[in-house]
Amino acid sequence: MAENCTRKLIVEICNANNLMPKDGQGTASAYAIVDFAGQRRRTKTKFRDLNPVWDEKLEFLVHDIGSMASEILEINLYNDKKIGKRSNFLGKIKLAGTVFVSAGAESLAYYSLEKRSVFSQVKGEIGVKIFYVDEEAAPTPPEQKEETAEEKPPEEEKPAEENKEEAPKEEEKPNPPPPESSNPQDAVAASTSETNPAPEEEKNQPLANKEEPPTETAKYKAETGKSTELIINNLELRSLSADHNRIGYDLVDPMPFLYVRVVKAKVANKEPACPLHAKIVIGTHSIKTKTQIDRDWDQVFAFDKERLNSSSLEVSVWTEEGKNEEAPSSLVESCLGTVPFDLQEVPKRVPPDSPLAPQWYSLESESETGNDVMVAVWVGTQADEAFQEAWQSDSGGLIPETRAKVYLSPKLWYLRLTVIQTQDLQLDLVSEAKVRSPEIFVKALLGAQLFKTSRTQVGSAWNEDLVFVAAEPFEPFLVVKVEDASNGQSVGEVKIHVSSIDRRIDDKTEVKSRWFNLIGGENKPYAGRIHVRVCLEGGYHVLDEAAHVTSDVRATAKQLTKPPIGLLDVGIRGANNLLPVKTKDGPCGTTDAYVVAKYGPKWIRTRTILDRFNPHWNEQYTWDVYDPCTVLTIGVFDNGRYKGDKDVSIGKVRIRLSTLDTNKVYRNSYTLTVLSPDGAKKMGEIEIAIRFCCSSWLSLIQAYGSPMLPRMHHVSPLGPAQQDILRYTAMRIVTARLARSEPALGQEVVQFMLDSDAHVWSMRRSKANWFRVVGCLSCVASLVCWLDEIRTWVYPPTTVLVHGLLVAAVVCSHLVLPTIFMYAFLILALRLRYCRRIPYNVESRLSYIDVVSPDELDEEFDEFPTNKSSDTIRIRYDRLRALASRVQTLLGDVAAQGERLEALFSWKDPRATGILLVFCLFVSLLFYLVPLKVLVLGAGFYYIRHPRFRDDMPSIPINFFRRLPSLSDQIM
């Protein structure tokens, strides 16, 4: 952003709902005080109204645009104490600068009012709109600046009512000193706002009533009709690209690199149009710059110092002078001179030291004199700011596909189209004569997404919702078509500009319905009307990855984003003992490995280390954490894209952040296992260092009590089947967008990271899930076995002890629950000693990849629809039928138990229900006459009675329940 641009923050206080009565008469007279960056503004007072409406715009000056995201906007609501003498605090909200959006992207957002202390009585919510406007500041002459600095604007008289009121000392915050500013006008404005905490009416007037020159944002929107929301994305990208400069690289090892920066050359005896290039030689390493006529290269080369095989460096300049007669296709190169460097004398540089300034060196040559080259040579690490754009010896130089990059997933929205009804349709007369009541349906298209409504007769209403996934930048049009179901012909269509669709962030924002004229074609300029309601839903989180490995749960609308609760630092150190993936120079194998990590919308890709089985990347990245119950996904791939092939997956690591201790570094090696149709194969190990930093334990604990998904998912939930369809649609959109990046993040890479095949049928996953259920029920099974041992007197001393515990529990029943919870506390405290200190990862044993058969693996990797032979399909179908028959029998048995219980109370078996009737009467009299403790003690002794008093046959209640009827005999 240019230096002569200023930014203003506009806070529109719209309304408040359901405020706490404070005046003793069941009402409140509310006004709002807004504080931002040392500036304070105040709204008018709305007397005796628990649902006040202000619709006032308050204007603030942003002194530092770069640090706006770290500023806090605080809005306090007070009750005017002229009306009531009680405590006048009604509530407050605090918003971080990260929720501010540019003009044109704002929307009404409601925030629940928060307490100031534990004893505050607060309820209700406040609706606000917050946006900023960038405008070009007019240059002020020096004389006018001096006069402005000396003269202060006269203060207007305040109304009598406002002069009388004073906020209580215990509720008002001291005004901070005005920020220092180089502009005297800013200083005067800050001092005026400080002396007048309740602003005058002039400052609180809406912006529409002020005559101001049009801003750059307004000009851009007027000329192009587009929103300026891309400014936010540019700021985010700038912060993401600065990862390597703002983190300390403390989780990885420093890697020494020899940096050579060749800037330009001066040649004395050559024509200005003569092309030149520089050549750098270190032992067997040789690289040259690009050929330039202007002799200005300004290129940086980074050589891995540990792999250098020489102690000297030579920088030479070469000229290309015409063609050789014997070889017309080649140019004649002549050396203008060389500059030698002793690598033992090269200085070292470690950030934050300033960059080393290049110097002129004379080129040594026997035939040429007066030639110079500007070079800078130093030894640094991968933390050097020149490393990212330098030619790197370990990653193949300047190949785009091998460079380290940061990617962002596109911002996804749900687009909801509600089809209400149609009117005045111009149907085909022939089809209308054949069909007395023709049926129609509506088809909507957004890019490649297609959804249809149900069929209905002409004149009827649908009121059906069609939900799409829209990605920024949006598709230009949403196409809505009305089709005749009798002949399949289109009645008419309308194209809706996606950029003109309203946005909402909650269910309280009302979206107005609209009528659109249908266009039937060239011969039908008017084919009827359609009534729809369409909006972009910003209150949902668009799921673009499998639900069990989600890494982001924030709502789409930026206004609903809360401040981050911590930072996640990931150091990708290296890999060990990688297996060869592709062949090179005959039978020899090689691996060109790189790492991709994903958390939230941010993807990172390390540089590719070519032809090494033990690569060391030593790159460190950081993410903002908004929810601790999320998953970091790290994948290792072999780079084949730079040679025109596809990338091959080597393995994947998943780490859930909730399993990490805060402010602790985890440095571990994880096994990389890849599953293929040939079976599971261990490809090596990756070494990663992770640190989850959290500054506030309170925010971290509060996150565990808040819902995982935003409010709209619970107020207006989407169906499970609809969510699955939208999730796979979002996955396809993210995959396509990242594949169009430069350099591209391949489709196979994105799908592997997002687990896009998690919904595909797999016998291996079915077995794994079945044994997971068995594992969860193993504790219950163990408890049942223990009780059976007690009641059968397998260990008589234990059974006698249980008798004593039963007597104690009945006599001192008030101590049962305290004892249970104290026992649970001691068990959990003792198990802390055996807590696993290594973060959990993908478990091979749990995935059952070692015991899976080759045919089951082949079925798992089969395409859909299948292309296998009929014999193979028949075998798999018979196997699936055998498995389904067992599941069918199990479901029938479970249903029969519930039906027997239902039959007991519905008089299906009159004798069984009559027995239950008499039993209930007898038990009610027994509980009335005998104390409960005696009954419990007697039932306990009867259950654990000695085997001498037991019968080997089933008990009477079990026999009675098994004889009850079910619906199994009524199924064909």
Side-chain angles (χ1 to χ4, degrees):
M1 188 171 293
E3 295 181 356
N4 59 346
C5 287
T6 59
R7 175 171 291 181
K8 292 183 179 179
L9 181 68
I10 311 302
V11 181
E12 182 176 355
I13 308 296
C14 299
N15 60 345
N17 299 322
N18 195 25
L19 296 179
M20 176 71 71
K22 289 288 186 178
D23 59 356
Q25 301 177 8
T27 61
S29 301
Y31 66 92
I33 292 180
V34 185
D35 294 287
F36 177 76
Q39 307 167 63
R40 173 170 289 186
R41 304 287 185 267
R42 181 189 186 277
T43 65
K44 296 178 181 179
T45 302
K46 297 297 179 180
F47 297 101
R48 300 185 181 279
D49 191 356
L50 294 179
N51 300 284
V53 178
W54 291 283
D55 288 332
E56 296 186 30
K57 292 184 179 179
L58 309 179
E59 181 179 318
F60 298 87
L61 184 64
V62 180
H63 300 289
D64 188 359
I65 298 177
S67 62
M68 185 186 72
S70 61
E71 296 286 351
I72 299 296
L73 174 72
E74 184 173 349
I75 302 176
N76 290 271
L77 287 186
Y78 294 99
N79 173 53
D80 198 329
K81 70 176 186 177
K82 300 190 303 295
I83 305 301
K85 296 184 179 180
R86 292 191 177 185
S87 175
N88 62 354
F89 180 72
L90 294 176
K92 69 174 182 177
I93 62 171
K94 286 185 178 182
L95 302 176
T98 54
V99 304
F100 303 159
V101 297
S102 59
E106 75 278 2
S107 60
L108 179 61
Y110 286 90
Y111 300 94
S112 299
L113 295 173
E114 301 175 357
K115 295 182 179 181
R116 184 177 53 191
S117 64
V118 179
F119 304 101
S120 299
Q121 296 182 359
V122 171
K123 71 173 183 177
E125 58 185 6
I126 183 172
V128 296
K129 292 182 181 178
I130 306 174
F131 59 95
Y132 59 84
V133 178
D134 294 323
E135 58 184 15
E136 186 174 354
T140 306
E143 298 81 9
Q144 186 176 353
K145 290 184 179 179
E146 294 178 1
E147 294 176 2
T148 308
E150 295 176 359
E151 299 179 6
K152 293 185 178 180
E155 297 183 358
E156 296 185 3
E157 295 183 359
K158 299 181 181 179
E161 294 181 356
E162 294 186 4
N163 287 334
K164 293 179 183 179
E165 64 181 23
E166 295 179 358
K169 295 182 180 180
E170 67 274 10
E171 294 178 357
E172 271 197 18
K173 297 181 178 181
N175 292 326
E180 297 181 1
S181 176
S182 59
N183 191 350
Q185 294 180 356
D186 297 347
V188 172
S191 62
T192 306
S193 65
E194 183 182 5
T195 55
N196 301 320
E200 296 115 16
E201 294 182 359
E202 264 191 26
K203 297 180 182 178
N204 292 331
Q205 289 178 355
L207 294 179
N209 298 334
K210 296 184 180 182
E211 296 183 1
E212 294 184 354
T215 62
E216 287 187 347
T217 304
K219 291 179 182 177
Y220 178 79
K221 292 176 65 178
E223 293 174 359
T224 63
K226 298 180 180 179
S227 172
T228 58
E229 193 170 354
L230 287 178
I231 297 176
I232 301 297
N233 296 335
N234 291 336
L235 291 175
E236 292 178 356
L237 285 174
R238 182 169 26 170
S239 65
L240 292 174
S241 63
D243 267 344
H244 297 275
N245 297 330
R246 63 186 179 92
I247 58 181
Y249 278 81
D250 55 338
L251 300 182
V252 296
D253 296 332
M255 297 180 64
F257 280 88
L258 175 66
Y259 289 91
V260 180
R261 181 183 179 188
V262 183
V263 183
K264 56 185 175 181
K266 290 192 301 185
V267 181
N269 301 325
K270 295 295 180 182
E271 298 179 0
C274 181
L276 298 176
H277 69 266
K279 185 180 296 185
I280 303 171
V281 179
I282 309 176
T284 58
H285 296 274
S286 177
I287 186 66
K288 69 176 185 177
T289 64
K290 53 189 175 183
T291 302
Q292 296 281 4
I293 298 179
D294 57 2
R295 304 164 186 178
D296 190 356
W297 303 289
D298 198 10
Q299 287 184 254
V300 182
F301 301 87
F303 298 90
D304 189 355
K305 199 168 184 300
E306 295 181 353
R307 297 177 68 90
L308 296 179
N309 52 9
S310 177
S311 61
S312 63
L313 162 70
E314 291 185 355
V315 179
S316 57
V317 179
W318 297 72
T319 180
E320 300 176 358
E321 298 176 341
K323 298 181 179 180
N324 192 352
E325 296 179 356
E326 298 179 357
S329 60
S330 63
L331 297 176
V332 177
E333 296 183 352
S334 60
C335 181
L336 300 180
T338 304
V339 178
F341 293 90
D342 187 1
L343 298 184
Q344 302 296 332
E345 304 295 332
V346 172
K348 295 182 179 180
R349 175 184 176 266
V350 178
D353 294 348
S354 300
L356 191 66
Q359 299 180 10
W360 286 104
Y361 294 90
S362 298
L363 295 172
E364 300 177 1
S365 175
E366 297 179 357
S367 58
E368 299 283 346
T369 58
N371 301 327
D372 299 327
V373 63
M374 180 178 284
V375 181
V377 182
W378 72 94
V379 174
T381 64
Q382 75 274 25
D384 200 298
E385 61 269 12
F387 181 74
Q388 296 303 316
E389 300 301 328
W391 177 96
Q392 299 164 6
S393 61
D394 58 352
S395 61
L398 296 174
I399 303 175
E401 289 78 9
T402 62
R403 311 287 290 178
K405 289 294 179 182
V406 177
Y407 301 86
L408 275 180
S409 296
K411 191 175 183 180
L412 302 177
W413 296 73
Y414 282 146
L415 189 150
R416 186 187 297 271
L417 172 66
T418 305
V419 182
I420 302 175
Q421 62 179 349
T422 57
Q423 283 186 0
D424 196 20
L425 294 181
Q426 307 296 318
L427 296 176
D428 190 1
L429 297 178
V430 177
S431 62
E432 191 173 0
K434 291 181 179 179
V435 183
R436 185 170 298 178
S437 298
E439 292 185 344
I440 58 174
F441 65 91
V442 176
K443 181 170 63 176
L445 298 94
L446 180 65
Q449 304 176 59
L450 171 63
F451 292 100
K452 299 178 182 179
T453 64
S454 60
R455 297 184 179 185
T456 184
Q457 295 182 356
V458 177
S460 302
W462 285 280
N463 288 319
E464 293 185 19
D465 288 342
L466 304 179
V467 183
F468 301 83
V469 177
E472 294 183 359
F474 297 120
E475 298 284 345
F477 296 105
L478 170 66
V479 182
V480 182
K481 296 182 179 181
V482 180
E483 294 190 0
D484 190 348
S486 59
N487 55 14
Q489 295 182 357
S490 175
V491 178
E493 67 176 34
V494 61
K495 294 183 177 180
I496 304 175
H497 287 274
V498 179
S499 58
S500 65
I501 295 176
D502 296 334
R503 305 182 183 186
R504 71 170 187 172
I505 62 175
D506 52 24
D507 59 322
K508 300 177 182 178
T509 305
E510 183 179 357
V511 180
K512 297 181 179 179
S513 58
R514 301 164 63 185
W515 285 94
F516 293 94
N517 292 333
L518 296 172
I519 300 175
E522 298 179 357
N523 300 327
K524 285 186 178 181
Y526 176 76
R529 298 196 306 164
I530 186 171
H531 191 198
V532 299
R533 183 186 299 110
V534 59
C535 68
L536 288 168
E537 298 280 7
Y540 291 91
H541 168 69
V542 182
L543 296 172
D544 60 346
E545 50 194 344
H548 59 281
V549 292
T550 182
S551 61
D552 189 14
V553 293
R554 291 176 294 166
T556 301
K558 194 174 183 181
Q559 296 90 331
L560 300 179
T561 302
K562 296 181 180 180
I565 62 173
L567 286 176
L568 175 65
D569 295 327
V570 179
I572 302 173
R573 301 175 60 85
N576 300 317
N577 304 322
L578 294 181
L579 297 182
V581 177
K582 52 180 177 285
T583 59
K584 176 184 178 182
D585 298 334
C588 299
T590 182
T591 299
D592 305 326
Y594 69 94
V595 178
V596 175
K598 180 195 182 298
Y599 184 78
K602 177 181 171 183
W603 301 63
I604 64 96
R605 188 177 85 171
T606 66
R607 69 188 189 279
T608 301
I609 306 296
L610 300 180
D611 196 15
R612 294 191 196 176
F613 298 123
N614 297 284
H616 294 283
W617 295 282
N618 283 309
E619 298 183 18
Q620 185 170 336
Y621 298 89
T622 183
W623 285 267
D624 289 329
V625 177
Y626 295 88
D627 194 296
C629 301
T630 46
V631 178
L632 168 71
T633 304
I634 300 175
V636 184
F637 301 88
D638 175 77
N639 195 334
R641 190 168 292 272
Y642 78 100
K643 290 186 177 181
D645 300 329
K646 289 186 177 182
D647 295 344
V648 179
S649 59
I650 298 178
K652 181 164 50 180
V653 176
R654 292 198 200 101
I655 299 173
R656 184 170 290 273
L657 268 61
S658 58
T659 61
L660 304 177
D661 292 337
T662 56
N663 305 320
K664 179 180 178 181
V665 177
Y666 292 87
R667 178 179 171 182
N668 300 289
S669 294
Y670 301 90
T671 302
L672 298 172
T673 305
V674 66
L675 191 63
S676 64
D678 299 330
K681 190 176 183 181
K682 294 184 179 180
M683 302 295 294
E685 293 183 346
I686 182 173
E687 186 179 0
I688 302 172
I690 304 175
R691 178 177 56 214
F692 175 36
C693 300
C694 181
S695 57
S696 174
W697 265 91
L698 182 61
S699 301
L700 189 61
I701 298 302
Q702 286 178 347
Y704 280 86
S706 60
M708 281 285 293
L709 295 174
R711 181 175 179 271
M712 285 294 289
H713 286 270
H714 306 279
V715 176
S716 180
L718 302 172
Q722 188 180 26
Q723 272 193 348
D724 289 339
I725 294 174
L726 294 175
R727 180 187 293 114
Y728 303 138
T729 303
M731 286 182 182
R732 289 194 297 267
I733 292 176
V734 172
T735 302
R737 290 291 181 90
L738 294 179
R740 287 160 48 189
S741 304
E742 187 60 38
L745 197 60
Q747 178 180 358
E748 63 279 1
V749 175
V750 180
Q751 291 179 350
F752 182 75
M753 296 288 290
L754 294 180
D755 276 350
S756 59
D757 60 344
H759 64 288
V760 179
W761 160 256
S762 169
M763 181 67 74
R764 176 187 59 84
R765 289 199 189 100
S766 301
K767 290 181 179 179
N769 292 336
W770 167 256
F771 286 109
R772 285 170 59 195
V773 174
V774 172
C776 293
L777 298 178
S778 61
C779 296
V780 179
S782 300
L783 179 62
V784 172
C785 293
W786 181 75
L787 290 177
D788 187 68
E789 292 176 355
I790 295 297
R791 64 185 292 268
T792 56
W793 291 68
V794 175
Y795 303 103
T798 306
T799 306
V800 172
L801 180 61
V802 170
H803 280 78
L805 291 176
L806 180 60
V807 173
V810 171
V811 175
C812 304
S813 58
H814 61 283
L815 297 178
V816 173
L817 290 179
T819 304
I820 292 176
F821 283 100
M822 179 57 68
Y823 182 70
F825 167 77
L826 294 176
I827 291 294
L828 294 175
L830 291 175
R831 287 188 177 182
L832 180 62
R833 298 176 55 188
Y834 307 101
C835 177
R836 181 172 177 175
R837 302 302 179 184
I838 302 176
Y840 291 89
N841 183 27
V842 177
E843 185 66 40
S844 302
R845 182 186 57 82
L846 187 63
S847 304
Y848 279 83
I849 61 176
D850 297 329
V851 296
V852 63
S853 65
D855 184 59
E856 293 175 352
L857 277 177
D858 185 65
E859 180 184 12
E860 182 174 347
F861 285 92
D862 192 8
E863 298 178 355
F864 189 85
T866 182
N867 54 5
K868 299 295 181 181
S869 63
S870 58
D871 295 336
T872 304
I873 296 176
R874 185 182 299 109
I875 294 173
R876 292 176 180 175
Y877 177 65
D878 291 339
R879 182 178 60 198
L880 186 61
R881 287 178 62 189
L883 177 63
S885 65
R886 284 182 280 177
V887 176
Q888 170 185 304
T889 304
L890 177 63
L891 292 177
D893 293 340
V894 173
Q897 310 308 318
E899 291 165 355
R900 286 169 178 167
L901 187 63
E902 183 182 359
L904 186 61
F905 293 92
S906 60
W907 292 88
K908 278 190 176 182
D909 187 343
R911 285 171 293 277
T913 308
I915 295 173
L916 177 65
L917 182 67
V918 175
F919 177 76
C920 292
L921 178 61
F922 175 76
V923 171
S924 64
L925 295 176
L926 182 65
F927 274 93
Y928 180 76
L929 298 175
V930 181
L932 180 62
K933 292 183 178 181
V934 176
L935 291 176
V936 173
L937 191 61
F941 284 161
Y942 177 79
Y943 179 77
I944 57 177
R945 65 191 184 276
H946 197 273
R948 182 179 300 177
F949 305 103
R950 293 182 182 276
D951 191 3
D952 295 335
M953 302 303 292
S955 62
I956 295 177
I958 293 178
N959 295 331
F960 177 79
F961 186 78
R962 287 177 178 175
R963 291 178 178 274
L964 294 174
S966 66
L967 300 180
S968 300
D969 53 350
Q970 302 180 22
I971 296 178
M972 296 182 63

